[in-house]
Amino acid sequence: MKKIIKQLQALLLMMVSLITTSTAYAWSDAQWIWTDDTSSVNQWVGFRKQLSLAEAPSSATLKIAVDSKYWLWVNGQLVVYEGGLKRGPTPLDTWYDEVDLSQYLKSGNNTLSILAWYWGKEGYSHKSSGAGGMVANLSIAGTNTFEVNSDHTWKVKRLAEYVNSASGTQPDIRLPEYNVVYDARLAVGDWFSESFDDQNWSLASTHGAVGSAPWNQLVRREIPQWKDYGLKNYANVPQLPLVSTGQTIEVDLPYNAHITPYFKVRGSEGQVVHMEMDAYRDGGAPNVRAEYITKAGQQAYESLGWMSGHTVKYRFPVGIEVLELKYRETGYDAEFVGQFSSNDAFYNKLWTKAGRTLYVNMRDTFFDCPTRERAQWWGDVVNQLGEVFYTLDPKSHQLIKKGIYDLTNFQKGNDVMFAPVPTGIPSYQYRDMELSNQILASVGEYGFWKYYFNTGDRATIEHAYPAVKRYLELWSMRGDGLVNYRAGDYNWGDWGGNVDTYTLQVTWYYMALDGARKMAQLLGRTLDLSWYEARMSSIDNNFDAVLWKGDFYKSTNVAYPDDRANAMAVISGLADSSKHADIGQVLKTRFYASPFMEKYVLEALFLLGEDTFALNRMKSRYNNMVASEYSTLWEGWAQNSGATYNHAWNAPNTVLSQYAVGVSPSSVGWATYSVLPQMGKLTSIHQVVPSVKGNIDISLDKEDWGFGISLNSPANTVAKVGIPLGYFTQLNTVEVNGAEVYSNGNFSGGVSGVEFAGRNSQFVMFNLQPGSWTIEGRGEVVPVHIPDWTHCANENETCSFDGKTNVRYGAGNQYTELEATNQVQCDNDTFGDPASGLVKSCEYDAAALVPVTTWTHCADENGTCTFTGTRKVRYGANGLFAEQTATGSIACNNSVFGDPISGVVKSCEVEELPQAQWTQCATEGQTCNVPALSEVRYGANETYSAVQQVSSSVGCSNTVFGDPIYGVAKSCEYRLLP
């Protein structure tokens, strides 16, 4: 009974929240309307309504809901291109749109035309109502105020030209959309125009008032309508017109985008035109395609189901005359206000690709990929929402808010939260399943709380908090003070090998508790605090005792220390500073993380002060993606048939902005924020952050006189700006807007709007009021390394040298740079392409060359490296290696080492230890005693017998060793073996 009451309380809270967070609206007498057939799937239905106005209205607001999508024309003018959201504000209810029609209506006769597409199919991102339907209410104000409602007086027609075709390959079951198949021979003409005669259309059938099942309650859409970029020309259209010979015409987009393909042709009737994207089978499974069946004569067509990719493929039948080829891009209505540029083209390109990947995975919801499944996996969303705050304008924040409501409103009666949401697939792998670690990430510090901290949206936290608390209460604690592992329905921590899922879950649960604790404090739920704090204290007090193994964290479910788990120990704060150096070594030598968790590894390296290595690791890990022709980042480190090439969970741009630039909020809603740069070897960065307070514009420059910062800071903020001490051997002065405010460790002030904010081991800091500022730290800088670039290879050759140094690849002044040892392949696969179209070469920095350990090949990939004693073994190729210490032998594969350079055949090499000095242990005729396993040689005058391995003692005589030098007094010498 208690469980039933708890479930009813949860349902009531959800209903109350929906009522209070969406604008209540009286739908008057509006009815759900359709044809008589509401059940047939993949229906396209046209609606028309005539109305006469005595005057142009001062306001006209249309409320409209459909299952599943609609297009709206007013007086023949397209007003909404693909309206409606994939269904599922809750498992029962339906979204509605609110559209301002005041600028489209006129005095006299007016025509509303609506094209509705009902899928009738479940999906990873759509909960079907099971019935086609459209409901509308138009409220008009002027001299007179009145309403127009959807009812039986509207005209309706099932549009037979949209064919529900089961022929050919169908979209993957995870997608609710269908292929769009259009037969122009059956078309009724421009039925959406004012002049169209609809007298032969039927009157609509009514199927219930607002609130009726199966559509139930209506919840207002708060995200904007899609941005329509209009019809555009392709970059590489062939010479038109042309007569098709049956070949496929491939035309390129400037970047990965959501598009609908358009063409104009002339030909005979009954011929089939095929349209699909290069990404049609991205990730393995088919997504959506389109077909068009011609009528006779000249005709133009735009297929309305959006597709995604880089290249559109048209296949016209033989003899068809192709007159025009175009496309329409649509997407989430938010602008790329955020900017990042540095002196290194690699990071600029990576930041841009990450932003494009983010944007192409936003529409009705966030999703993991715009092809295979279009699903809102919340682990991906956690990474995406961090990117949003550095990349897109604040309209994008509404999609995060919607995602939070999606996740909490779909919470099950047993308090389990799951992804993807919204979802409705009745039976399929991974549907409606709890991914425990991803949900913990979602409800905690990096998910819900990060959204609040960046936006200040308290109401959304108030809605979400009860669901978060109920979910965290599902966990129980172990006897050793840590949390019991919760596998959930899909026991997954990351792609790749050696995933320490238990240690990861402890850190994610700890951070979720901390996020919930902060929510409780914000909302005044003081009675809840002790529960969170007791559990956090238990984990904090016992984490090291259970999981620290002397120089890394590791649970018993993995063989080796995991870079992901050790990174999360740093990020969560569970690893104290005494362990940071050891963890740093793990993160420098282990490469297990997929792109999903790599963001956290990079973040931890910055937190450890390893900014140079973090940037180097970022470059080596993302090399292949940056070099790729694709404008988006991939699901895995290498491209294969099972992974998408436009996957949402990549977030290196967040790391570059938050840490390399060092800009992040320090209080809610960016009221205060910090600029604390960790630039590694970068010498200049420019960043624009589109915060809720306004744009923050930052430039960072290393100069021979010191370090310069330029800042334009918006109103109602205070910026803490730090001069990095690591750039100086001695910081002498700091000037703000040309006036000295700091000298030899003392703050003198004197500039209005500037306060001293303290000094620590990394920065001298100042608080700055809104405005334009230049901050210049002057002093004795760390000697600037002047590289001696020495040519070592032409493009596609091998660059070789003795030691470790930086190698650059490119031409002119366009280079990318990597750290390498002994040799590196000089090609686009290794470095990316910094100078497209130019002949490139490699140069190594002779001035930075340092000697390194001698390495000897010991095994090919997937073999076993065998050796004596305890040695370092490295695994990789082309100068990029992961490293481990082992005794006797070690398997040479990705599962053990991670993958330091994907897509390349690798091998293992073992270090050659420096030889010990020879020490005399006996003269001829005596016994040589050794302290441990050693090599012993016998002779004189640099002439010796073959060495023997000895563990305790050996006779020093000709009998034992033979006589290497006759007639001369000899002796024995030993040296210890490693």
Side-chain angles (χ1 to χ4, degrees):
M1 179 60 73
K2 288 183 179 179
K3 184 174 182 180
I4 294 173
I5 292 172
K6 187 176 182 182
Q7 292 174 359
L8 288 172
Q9 289 173 334
L11 180 60
L12 179 60
L13 277 169
M14 180 180 74
M15 293 173 64
V16 169
S17 176
L18 282 171
I19 293 170
T20 57
T21 57
S22 59
T23 302
Y25 186 82
W27 285 77
S28 187
D29 297 323
Q31 297 284 310
W32 282 94
I33 60 174
W34 202 254
T35 64
D36 288 337
D37 176 14
T38 62
S39 60
S40 294
V41 301
N42 194 21
Q43 291 191 57
W44 294 76
V45 174
F47 298 90
R48 286 176 58 86
K49 179 63 178 177
Q50 305 279 349
L51 61 149
S52 181
L53 301 178
E55 61 181 359
S58 59
S59 69
T61 301
L62 176 70
K63 317 288 186 184
I64 178 171
V66 299
D67 185 345
S68 308
K69 292 286 182 177
Y70 73 92
W71 288 254
L72 169 67
W73 293 261
V74 177
N75 297 326
Q77 181 177 354
L78 181 64
V79 175
V80 175
Y81 190 97
E82 194 203 294
L85 293 176
K86 290 183 174 181
R87 189 171 177 273
T90 75
L92 299 175
D93 301 322
T94 303
W95 295 106
Y96 77 87
D97 288 359
E98 185 174 298
V99 185
D100 181 4
L101 299 186
S102 58
Q103 64 178 306
Y104 304 103
L105 296 172
K106 64 183 189 300
S107 174
N109 294 327
N110 293 268
T111 303
L112 301 183
S113 306
I114 298 169
L115 171 62
W117 184 15
Y118 169 63
W119 297 329
K121 176 185 171 188
E122 305 280 22
Y124 264 17
S125 54
H126 178 69
K127 184 77 172 69
S128 178
S129 68
M134 188 279 291
V135 65
N137 171 275
L138 175 60
S139 178
I140 298 175
T143 304
N144 297 305
T145 299
F146 64 98
E147 295 179 350
V148 178
N149 296 300
S150 54
D151 58 21
H152 69 282
T153 66
W154 286 53
K155 292 296 188 74
V156 65
K157 182 177 179 60
R158 170 81 178 269
L159 299 175
E161 57 263 44
Y162 288 96
V163 180
N164 181 23
S165 173
S167 65
T169 305
Q170 298 299 306
D172 186 78
I173 190 173
R174 291 168 283 192
L175 296 174
E177 297 94 333
Y178 286 83
N179 298 327
V180 178
V181 179
Y182 187 91
D183 190 339
R185 297 171 300 181
L186 305 177
V188 297
D190 293 335
W191 59 267
F192 44 81
S193 69
E194 282 187 276
S195 59
F196 181 77
D197 183 0
D198 60 18
Q199 64 178 337
N200 293 325
W201 284 32
S202 302
L203 294 174
S205 297
T206 59
H207 299 281
V210 170
S212 300
W215 306 282
N216 303 309
Q217 297 302 310
L218 297 180
V219 180
R220 187 180 68 184
R221 166 189 186 147
E222 294 192 14
I223 67 173
Q225 296 288 342
W226 313 142
K227 183 173 183 179
D228 180 356
Y229 294 82
L231 286 175
K232 297 181 176 182
N233 294 315
Y234 294 102
N236 62 329
V237 176
Q239 184 67 42
L240 298 178
L242 65 78
V243 177
S244 173
T245 60
Q247 79 275 26
T248 297
I249 299 175
E250 298 189 4
V251 281
D252 296 333
L253 304 172
Y255 42 69
N256 196 327
H258 301 174
I259 67 99
T260 47
Y262 166 93
F263 62 80
K264 182 187 288 185
V265 297
R266 184 184 293 114
S268 58
E269 71 169 35
Q271 301 191 75
V272 181
V273 178
H274 298 271
M275 292 159 279
E276 65 183 49
M277 304 297 294
D278 61 323
Y280 176 60
R281 287 188 177 273
D282 179 48
N287 51 82
V288 293
R289 57 184 178 84
E291 294 180 8
Y292 176 85
I293 304 167
T294 61
K295 61 183 179 181
Q298 183 171 301
Q299 55 214 281
Y301 174 70
E302 179 181 353
S303 182
L304 296 181
W306 70 269
M307 309 172 181
S308 174
H310 289 87
T311 300
V312 184
K313 299 181 178 182
Y314 294 92
R315 192 166 74 252
F316 294 101
V318 174
I320 286 281
E321 185 179 11
V322 182
L323 305 175
E324 287 185 9
L325 296 174
K326 295 186 177 182
Y327 70 97
R328 183 189 305 271
E329 179 186 356
T330 58
Y332 192 94
D333 190 9
E335 300 298 324
F336 284 91
V337 177
Q339 300 174 30
F340 174 94
S341 60
S342 74
N343 63 293
D344 191 323
F346 176 92
Y347 300 107
N348 304 342
K349 192 171 183 180
L350 177 60
W351 201 93
T352 299
K353 285 193 173 193
R356 173 52 47 182
T357 308
L358 166 67
Y359 185 73
V360 83
N361 283 293
M362 298 169 63
R363 203 170 176 99
D364 300 61
T365 63
F366 287 103
F367 33 77
D368 60 335
C369 58
T371 46
R372 181 180 63 200
E373 58 203 78
R374 302 178 179 179
Q376 187 171 228
W377 295 100
W378 248 91
D380 297 48
V381 177
V382 171
N383 286 3
Q384 288 171 290
L385 70 86
E387 296 176 81
V388 160
F389 298 118
Y390 291 103
T391 309
L392 298 169
D393 73 47
K395 285 185 290 185
S396 59
H397 303 174
Q398 291 296 328
L399 194 61
I400 306 173
K401 177 179 179 178
K402 178 183 181 294
I404 293 173
Y405 275 79
D406 290 343
L407 184 58
T408 52
N409 288 344
F410 272 73
Q411 187 172 29
K412 297 180 183 180
N414 62 1
D415 296 332
V416 168
M417 298 170 79
F418 65 91
V421 286
T423 189
I425 299 179
S427 59
Y428 188 68
Q429 62 173 344
Y430 311 147
R431 166 260 172 191
D432 195 6
M433 300 180 79
E434 178 191 8
L435 281 80
S436 303
N437 285 6
Q438 285 203 7
I439 300 301
L440 289 174
S442 306
V443 303
E445 281 277 338
Y446 275 55
F448 293 5
W449 187 253
K450 177 165 283 191
Y451 167 75
Y452 168 71
F453 204 70
N454 278 271
T455 65
D457 179 4
R458 187 181 188 278
T460 295
I461 296 301
E462 193 154 12
H463 163 81
Y465 175 73
V468 173
K469 184 174 184 292
R470 293 194 305 272
Y471 182 68
L472 295 180
E473 287 173 342
L474 295 176
W475 265 259
S476 61
M477 301 297 285
R478 302 194 320 191
D480 60 11
L482 300 187
V483 65
N484 271 308
Y485 186 73
R486 183 177 176 85
D489 302 303
Y490 179 17
N491 187 19
W492 187 88
D494 188 24
W495 295 136
N498 198 61
V499 185
D500 193 345
T501 49
Y502 181 71
T503 303
L504 283 170
Q505 185 162 114
V506 174
T507 59
W508 282 124
Y509 187 66
Y510 183 83
M511 293 173 69
L513 291 170
D514 196 28
R517 178 183 62 83
K518 292 174 180 175
M519 293 182 213
Q521 288 176 324
L522 171 70
L523 301 173
R525 309 292 175 88
T526 55
L527 295 179
D528 296 343
L529 295 177
S530 60
W531 187 83
Y532 298 124
E533 290 166 354
R535 288 204 162 189
M536 290 179 68
S537 178
S538 178
I539 294 170
D540 200 9
N541 292 336
N542 295 284
F543 187 70
D544 286 354
V546 177
L547 296 172
W548 183 248
K549 306 305 177 185
D551 49 9
F552 50 78
Y553 288 102
K554 188 180 81 67
S555 72
T556 57
N557 68 332
V558 290
Y560 307 101
D562 178 16
D563 52 350
R564 317 167 187 86
N566 281 271
M568 290 305 300
V570 173
I571 290 170
S572 66
L574 287 168
D576 62 53
S577 60
S578 69
K579 298 174 178 61
H580 284 180
D582 288 327
I583 292 174
Q585 284 303 112
V586 174
L587 304 187
K588 290 179 179 180
T589 59
R590 309 286 170 156
F591 298 87
Y592 300 117
S594 82
F596 170 53
M597 286 299 297
E598 182 69 13
K599 181 255 184 185
Y600 301 99
V601 177
L602 295 171
E603 184 171 347
L605 282 164
F606 275 103
L607 290 172
L608 295 176
E610 295 284 357
D611 44 317
T612 297
F613 186 84
L615 290 169
N616 286 342
R617 174 166 172 148
M618 183 185 293
K619 184 174 283 190
S620 66
R621 294 290 257 168
Y622 278 98
N623 260 336
N624 290 347
M625 296 193 211
V626 170
S628 165
E629 62 184 351
Y630 296 130
S631 65
T632 46
L633 302 177
W634 312 340
E635 183 174 4
W637 296 116
Q639 267 300 94
N640 58 66
S641 60
T644 69
Y645 71 62
N646 41 25
H647 215 77
W649 60 22
N650 291 275
N653 48 345
T654 304
V655 177
L656 287 168
S657 299
Q658 186 174 346
Y659 292 99
V661 179
V663 58
S664 63
S666 51
S667 66
V668 174
W670 291 80
T672 62
Y673 66 92
S674 299
V675 181
L676 302 173
Q678 294 178 267
M679 295 172 62
K681 291 185 178 180
L682 294 174
T683 58
S684 66
I685 305 178
H686 176 242
Q687 172 87 56
V688 176
V689 180
S691 83
V692 292
K693 290 290 195 294
N695 290 347
I696 299 168
D697 194 309
I698 306 162
S699 293
L700 309 172
D701 292 285
K702 294 178 180 177
E703 306 285 357
D704 55 6
W705 47 259
F707 194 94
I709 302 175
S710 295
L711 172 67
N712 286 318
S713 189
N716 303 310
T717 62
V718 176
K720 179 188 286 186
V721 178
I723 295 293
L725 294 171
Y727 187 57
F728 295 87
T729 57
Q730 175 65 47
L731 174 64
N732 295 328
T733 63
V734 177
E735 297 177 2
V736 177
N737 287 358
E740 185 178 292
V741 298
Y742 180 90
S743 177
N744 297 320
N746 297 308
F747 177 68
S748 57
V751 177
S752 178
V754 180
E755 295 179 348
F756 186 58
R759 175 174 178 151
N760 58 26
S761 61
Q762 292 181 284
F763 300 96
V764 172
M765 295 164 287
F766 306 88
N767 288 332
L768 305 178
Q769 295 298 313
S772 296
W773 302 97
T774 58
I775 308 95
E776 296 179 347
R778 295 177 176 273
E780 304 302 317
V781 301
V782 174
V784 176
H785 172 73
I786 301 174
D788 178 10
W789 293 113
T790 303
H791 179 272
C792 57
N794 295 322
E795 188 170 357
N796 297 318
E797 296 178 345
T798 300
C799 168
S800 300
F801 44 88
D802 293 323
K804 179 187 290 186
T805 190
N806 294 320
V807 180
R808 70 177 188 177
Y809 169 73
N813 61 356
Q814 301 177 68
Y815 288 90
T816 55
E817 192 175 317
L818 288 175
E819 185 178 75
T821 302
N822 294 333
Q823 66 177 36
V824 66
Q825 192 65 23
C826 184
D827 57 26
N828 291 347
D829 289 340
T830 302
F831 287 87
D833 188 351
S836 179
L838 298 180
V839 177
K840 292 168 281 291
S841 64
C842 278
E843 299 171 343
Y844 72 89
D845 183 359
L849 195 63
V850 294
V852 295
T853 302
T854 301
W855 297 91
T856 301
H857 177 273
C858 59
D860 294 328
E861 186 170 0
N862 296 317
T864 300
C865 174
T866 303
F867 45 88
T868 60
T870 299
R871 306 277 189 95
K872 290 180 180 178
V873 180
R874 68 179 189 178
Y875 169 72
N878 297 340
L880 301 173
F881 292 91
E883 189 177 303
Q884 294 201 34
T885 299
T887 301
S889 66
I890 190 170
C892 183
N893 56 46
N894 290 349
S895 297
V896 172
F897 286 89
D899 191 349
I901 178 169
S902 59
V904 176
V905 176
K906 292 168 280 290
S907 64
C908 278
E909 298 173 350
V910 62
E911 69 169 337
E912 290 295 328
L913 296 180
Q915 295 290 342
Q917 295 295 316
W918 290 103
T919 303
Q920 183 173 312
C921 55
T923 57
E924 186 174 357
Q926 295 180 330
T927 298
C928 171
N929 297 303
V930 297
L933 183 64
S934 302
E935 291 179 327
V936 177
R937 68 182 184 181
Y938 172 70
N941 300 335
E942 298 303 321
T943 303
Y944 295 94
S945 62
V947 298
Q948 296 190 23
Q949 283 195 9
V950 177
S951 58
S952 58
S953 63
V954 65
C956 185
S957 66
N958 293 343
T959 304
V960 174
F961 287 92
D963 190 349
I965 180 167
Y966 180 77
V968 176
K970 292 169 279 290
S971 65
C972 282
E973 298 174 346
Y974 79 95
R975 66 181 179 189
L976 292 171
L977 287 171

